[in-house]
Amino acid sequence: MIGYASKIFFQTLAGSQSLKRLASRYGMRSHGGFARRFIAGETVEEAIVAARAIEASGLMHTLDLLGESVHTMAEADMATRAYLATMDRIVAAGIGRGLSLKLTQLGLGIDRATCTDNLRRILDRAGADDFFVRVDMENSPYTQVTLDVFETMWQLGYRNVGIVLQSCLRRTPADAQRMIELGASVRLVKGAYQEPKRVAYQRKSEVDAAFVELTQLLLASGHYHAIASHDPGMIDATRQFASRRGIGTDRFELQMLYGIRRDLQAQLRDAGYRLRVYVPFGREWFPYFMRRLGERPANVGFVIRSILSERRG
Ligand SMILES: Cc1cc2nc3c(=O)[nH]c(=O)nc-3n(C[C@H](O)[C@H](O)[C@H](O)COP(=O)(O)OP(=O)(O)OC[C@H]3O[C@@H](n4cnc5c(N)ncnc54)[C@H](O)[C@@H]3O)c2cc1C
């Protein structure tokens, strides 16, 4: 219940322009910026520094150039070009080649055909340099169309692309079956958005139970999938199932968000698991940041402490 209220509260605040302006002023300061705990920086150079440190610690990464729900085709084109330029920078830096993106950033909310074209531009470039691109899943009005665009790419022969499915949605078992039929790689998450009862489970126990069932379905399929959670219960269930079924640690990966449960990330690495860190960067960090606060209201205390210590300092 608290989780439900907190997601709604922070989702509403995420729409506030004055809060956004205030946060932008303090959040990403080079010293003491409270958003830096969760966001690698505003530039690709800062993301590359973070990615290098992640690689040096024995983990993998996927870089997410933050942005969503653009309002014009010109903005969608700009986001597409920014992704192409990011790939250039990643290749030049010689770091691992993984990207995550949101289709509303490429114009899905305005014109599906142009969004599809923009994604093709990115996948063509990605294919030429051996990048893997994960299409993030957004809120439920976009679920079907995101899957449709993904499947269009798959039918066109792109294989350097994967999708995200959310265990909170009632429809997900059928979507997971479809992705298994295609042989596509899924990142399984619980779901970051507040969704109506009609389409989504409201209780954490139901979302968790669905997550465990979906993990088993995906891992048993024999394809390579990513199980993304910071919840020790979900991770234990994944580990136990894989070991019961003799599924090696090289047959799947665990994923976590930048700055969250770094202790657990290190423990899993030490235990021999493949762990990928999702590294968000860019100027449009405010909605992403607010979702992280909504998942764990205790993070608000962390933000307030950072601001107070900066003022004292
Ligand atoms: C790699 C990755 C990619 C993702 N991509 C998507 C996506 O495309 N679409 C989508 O809807 N969602 C995405 N998510 C977010 C996901 O849906 C959840 O909202 C988020 O992971 C929190 O759920 P949880 O599984 O960690 O479990 P929870 O039950 O929410 O949390 C379990 C424990 O994890 C820790 N924790 C969780 N969140 C935080 C936080 N914000 N700050 C500090 N500690 C925290 C706490 O210790 C908490 O008790 C992604 C998550 C990851 C890890």
Side-chain angles (χ1 to χ4, degrees), residues 132-135 146-147 149-155 157-165 174-188 214 217-227 251-252:
F132 184 79
V133 178
R134 179 78 62 181
V135 177
T146 300
L147 291 169
V149 171
F150 176 78
E151 197 158 334
T152 303
M153 294 299 144
W154 198 264
Q155 305 299 356
Y158 292 96
R159 292 294 178 269
N160 57 328
V161 60
I163 190 74
V164 177
L165 295 177
D175 294 333
Q177 282 292 0
R178 178 66 188 147
M179 292 304 131
I180 289 170
E181 270 166 40
L182 294 178
S185 168
V186 172
R187 172 201 293 152
L188 179 66
L214 288 159
L217 180 71
L218 292 169
L219 293 192
S221 73
H223 303 302
Y224 189 90
H225 300 292
I227 308 301
R251 296 298 308 132
F252 65 97

Side-chain angles (χ1 to χ4, degrees), residues 7 37-38 62 100 102 135-139 164-166 187-193 204 208 211 228-232 234 255-257 259-261 276-278 291-296 299:
K7 272 189 180 175
R37 155 92 189 270
F38 303 110
T62 175
S100 291
K102 291 185 173 44
V135 177
D136 284 350
M137 188 56 77
E138 301 179 66
N139 48 345
V164 177
L165 295 177
Q166 300 154 327
R187 172 201 293 152
L188 179 66
V189 300
K190 289 190 187 179
Y193 302 86
K204 175 174 160 55
D208 287 0
F211 192 98
S229 176
H230 317 91
D231 185 338
M234 301 301 104
Q255 295 191 351
M256 294 193 197
L257 300 175
I260 299 183
R261 293 302 313 260
R276 189 177 304 276
V277 180
Y278 182 102
R291 282 198 292 279
R292 302 295 78 84
L293 293 191
E295 278 157 4
R296 191 161 180 267
N299 286 338

